[in-house]
Amino acid sequence: KRGVLVKGSNYLEALNKVSIVVFDKTGTLTKGVFKVVDITVDFGFTKEQVLEYAAQAESYSNHPIAKSIQEAFGKTIDQSVLSGYEEISGHGIRVLIGGKRVLAGNSKLMDSEKVSYAACQSAGTKVYIAVDGRYAGCIVIADEVKDDSQNAIASLKKIGVEKTVMLTGDSKRVADQVAKELGIEEVYSELLPADKVSKVEELLHQKSEKEKLAFVGDGINDAPVLSRADIGIAMGALGSDAAIEAADIVLMDDDPLKISKAIKIA
C-alpha cells in the first residue's frame, strides 16, 4: 500500500536501528534531469544569440547536457548552416556556423583556444561560447532537486536518524550547494564509484555495533555500495536493474520521503 518493497523481515528489523543514512546525489535526491538555469552574456551579445549558437553547435550530440540546451532553445535547428563540425574530447565543440567560427565547451576549451573569458560563478555544468575568437557568454546547466528531498531529510532527523551523508561524483561546488539546500551535514564530492564503496566502509567502521547504516541509490554504479551497506535502499521507478537487484528495500516511486515512512513502520 505504501509502495515500499522489503525483501525480508530481517531488513525491516534492521530499519528500526538506522542511525546513518547515506545518499547518492544524482537521481536519488535530484531528478537526474538537466535544465538550463542561467545564461550570462558578454557585451555585444544577447542571451538569445548565445543560446542559438550553443544549440546549433550541440545539435549533433545526444548528451543530456546538449539535449537540455536544445530544449531550452526550443526551435528547429537548420543544420545546413553548419560546417567543419569537430568534437574535441573532454573539451567541447568547434564548428563553423554561417561562416563564423564558434566554440562551445568548458573552460579547458577556452584556455586551449586562447579565448579570454569571464569565469562563471553559478553552480552547475558550464558551457562557454566564443564566436570568431571572442567570448560571447556562458550557459549554466543544473540538475533539479526533487520536490520532496528537503522534507525527506528533515523527517529522517525528526525520527531520530543521527547523521545524513551525501556522496557524489559531481563537483565540490555543486555538491555543497545541494547539501546546504537540503540540510545534509556531511558531503563527499568528486568520487569515483569505487570511492563510494570505501567511504561507506569508513562510515561503517565509525559507528557502533548496534547502529545500522542505510545507503540510498539508483544507478548501476551504486550496486556495490548497496550490497555493502547494512541496508541498501534502491529507487525503483528510474533505478537500474542492477541497483534494484542488489538492494534490500526498493522504493517503488523514487520518493525519498518514503524512507522515513518505512522506518516508522519498522
Side-chain angles (χ1 to χ4, degrees), residues 2 15 18 25 32 38 44 49 95 102 140 157 181 190 193 195 205 207 209 243 247 254 262 265:
R2 296 272 196 273
L15 260 190
V18 169
K25 179 179 80 72
D38 194 18
Q49 281 174 317
V95 65
V102 174
V140 182
K157 290 180 178 173
E181 191 182 327
E190 296 172 26
D195 302 333
H205 284 306
K207 66 175 187 57
E209 195 66 25
D254 294 357
I265 294 169

Side-chain angles (χ1 to χ4, degrees), residues 22-32 143 146 196 215-223 225-226 233-245 247 251 254:
V22 183
F23 293 91
D24 175 59
K25 179 179 80 72
T26 308
T28 305
L29 293 168
T30 64
K31 293 178 183 173
D143 186 6
K146 283 185 187 172
K196 290 183 184 177
F215 176 82
V216 194
D218 77 319
I220 274 194
N221 299 335
D222 298 330
V225 203
L226 284 162
I233 302 174
M235 296 287 167
L238 286 174
S240 73
D241 292 353
I244 292 164
E245 188 69 30
L251 308 178
D254 294 357

Side-chain angles (χ1 to χ4, degrees), residues 7-233:
K7 297 185 186 177
S9 55
N10 51 329
Y11 302 121
L12 204 57
E13 182 66 34
L15 260 190
N16 209 9
K17 303 187 179 79
V18 169
S19 68
I20 305 169
V21 181
V22 183
F23 293 91
D24 175 59
K25 179 179 80 72
T26 308
T28 305
L29 293 168
T30 64
K31 293 178 183 173
V33 178
F34 292 92
K35 248 190 170 160
V36 171
V37 290
D38 194 18
I39 302 172
T40 53
V41 293
D42 207 40
F43 184 70
F45 291 92
T46 66
K47 288 187 177 187
E48 288 73 25
Q49 281 174 317
V50 169
L51 187 58
E52 183 165 9
Y53 280 127
Q56 288 171 316
E58 299 278 9
S59 65
Y60 289 110
S61 174
N62 284 328
H63 191 277
I65 284 171
K67 280 190 168 154
S68 68
I69 290 175
Q70 291 158 25
E71 270 168 34
F73 179 56
K75 297 176 200 143
T76 319
I77 294 160
D78 176 12
Q79 290 186 330
S80 68
V81 298
L82 308 181
S83 60
Y85 176 87
E86 193 186 344
E87 200 166 321
I88 307 147
S89 178
H91 286 66
I93 290 155
R94 193 191 286 136
V95 65
L96 283 168
I97 301 175
K100 288 186 157 85
R101 202 167 65 91
V102 174
L103 300 169
N106 54 22
S107 53
K108 288 184 209 153
L109 180 68
M110 297 293 119
D111 295 336
S112 67
E113 298 281 339
K114 314 239 176 323
V115 175
S116 64
Y117 63 98
C120 187
Q121 295 309 318
S122 311
T125 302
K126 300 165 190 73
V127 178
Y128 292 98
I129 309 295
V131 181
D132 284 338
R134 196 180 140 216
Y135 174 64
C138 170
I139 296 174
V140 182
I141 293 131
D143 186 6
E144 287 183 286
V145 167
K146 283 185 187 172
D147 304 336
D148 275 338
S149 291
Q150 200 174 0
N151 292 343
I153 303 299
S155 66
L156 285 172
K157 290 180 178 173
K158 206 187 266 172
I159 61 172
V161 168
E162 284 162 32
K163 189 153 76 169
T164 51
V165 184
M166 187 175 86
L167 310 180
T168 179
D170 221 330
S171 72
K172 182 175 182 342
R173 188 177 186 134
V174 174
D176 289 349
Q177 192 183 345
V178 171
K180 193 176 158 197
E181 191 182 327
L182 300 179
I184 292 176
E185 299 108 345
E186 269 183 52
V187 197
Y188 300 98
S189 51
E190 296 172 26
L191 301 173
L192 296 167
D195 302 333
K196 290 183 184 177
V197 179
S198 39
K199 269 289 163 232
V200 166
E201 294 274 3
E202 236 171 81
L203 291 161
L204 284 166
H205 284 306
Q206 289 165 13
K207 66 175 187 57
S208 77
E209 195 66 25
K210 278 195 190 116
E211 299 175 313
K212 298 289 181 200
L213 178 145
F215 176 82
V216 194
D218 77 319
I220 274 194
N221 299 335
D222 298 330
V225 203
L226 284 162
S227 43
R228 186 63 198 90
D230 294 321
I231 308 160
I233 302 174

